[in-house]
Amino acid sequence: MKKIKKTIVGICICILLLSCVYVFELNICKLTYVNNKKEAQEIMKNAYNIIESKNDKKDVYTELSKSNENDIIGILVIKKIDVKAPVKQGTSQQIMQTSVGHFTESDLWDGNVSLASHNSGTSMHYFEKINKLDVNDEIIYITSLGERKYKVQCVSKIKDTDWSMVKKNENTKNKENTITLITCINGQPDYRLCIRGIQI
């Protein structure tokens, strides 16, 4: 009987300790997300200021093309899913904690602008709802060069090794301006969700 009581007490203590660890980790995750969100809001303010100040300059494209990793280069707006996010050059984990990342392999303005963001976790997950986008939905991209509107042309699932949708638009004769949004697919680590929009 004493052994059974000791076992029950031991199990209860284990459950209590595990619960405390879980609550502690959950609070740390929430705190991390809140901190990332505050930083993202500051970056967003800076993005608007940078875009407005550069609109007066003549050679903005050259300046934009010299942007370094982690520089703010634009703002992404998708009204249907309540997204208004700063865009930074590069797709490192550090950048994507607070911003949408721009694939450096893609175009900056004319051609194919390719962007990435998380869809869950403690980082800002701006692409959490891009799976709700349908053909013809609107995507807006704002930079110091101006504002472009795109309509969703296709929604597809691609292999995580397929970079063809991300690359620059090499076709200079019939160069269409497109925007490509990439994010992970929950439970399918070998695949990515890919949204392609075309300028309207």
Side-chain angles (χ1 to χ4, degrees):
M1 192 69 171
K2 285 183 180 179
K3 283 184 180 179
I4 293 172
K5 282 184 180 178
K6 281 184 180 178
T7 305
I8 291 170
V9 169
I11 290 169
C12 290
I13 290 169
C14 284
I15 290 170
L16 185 63
L17 286 172
L18 287 172
S19 298
C20 289
V21 168
Y22 174 75
V23 169
F24 180 71
E25 285 181 354
L26 193 63
N27 285 333
I28 288 204
C29 288
K30 281 181 183 175
L31 185 62
T32 303
Y33 179 73
V34 167
N35 288 338
N36 284 336
K37 191 171 184 178
K38 282 180 185 173
E39 193 179 336
Q41 288 166 344
E42 280 302 309
I43 292 167
M44 193 64 172
K45 284 179 197 171
N46 291 338
Y48 276 113
N49 292 336
I50 287 166
I51 287 166
E52 284 170 19
S53 68
K54 286 185 180 175
N55 272 335
D56 301 332
K57 296 180 181 175
K58 289 179 181 177
D59 201 8
V60 177
Y61 191 83
T62 304
E63 199 172 317
L64 189 63
S65 63
K66 288 180 180 175
S67 55
N68 297 312
E69 180 107 346
N70 206 36
D71 283 352
I72 298 167
I73 60 169
I75 296 167
L76 179 70
V77 179
I78 311 172
K79 292 178 183 174
K80 181 180 179 179
I81 55 172
D82 296 320
V83 167
K84 190 178 277 187
V87 179
K88 283 188 174 184
Q89 182 70 297
T91 52
S92 68
Q93 287 302 317
Q94 182 189 358
I95 287 167
M96 293 191 356
Q97 278 179 356
T98 56
S99 309
V100 170
H102 171 259
F103 286 99
T104 54
E105 302 88 349
S106 74
D107 294 297
L108 279 163
W109 183 243
D110 292 326
N112 180 38
V113 176
S114 297
L115 308 173
S117 179
H118 295 294
N119 60 33
S120 63
T122 58
S123 295
M124 293 304 297
H125 33 271
Y126 293 110
F127 288 0
E128 181 180 12
K129 296 179 184 174
I130 66 166
N131 59 337
K132 307 252 187 262
L133 292 177
D134 298 308
V135 171
N136 293 326
D137 283 339
E138 186 180 72
I139 299 168
I140 301 169
Y141 186 51
I142 307 162
T143 74
S144 47
L145 292 165
E147 178 182 302
R148 276 204 173 137
K149 292 183 179 180
Y150 304 83
K151 66 176 179 181
V152 174
Q153 187 181 39
C154 68
V155 179
S156 58
K157 183 167 83 168
I158 59 172
K159 288 282 286 179
D160 65 337
T161 52
D162 179 5
W163 294 98
S164 60
M165 294 293 274
V166 168
K167 290 181 181 174
K168 294 182 178 185
N169 188 338
E170 302 287 331
N171 183 359
T172 50
K173 277 189 178 179
N174 300 312
K175 200 170 189 178
E176 292 179 315
N177 292 322
T178 55
I179 195 163
T180 305
L181 311 179
I182 304 278
T183 195
C184 297
I185 299 175
N186 294 333
Q188 297 183 46
D190 296 335
Y191 291 91
R192 300 288 178 265
L193 179 63
C194 176
I195 310 287
R196 169 64 63 85
I198 188 165
Q199 186 184 0
I200 49 176

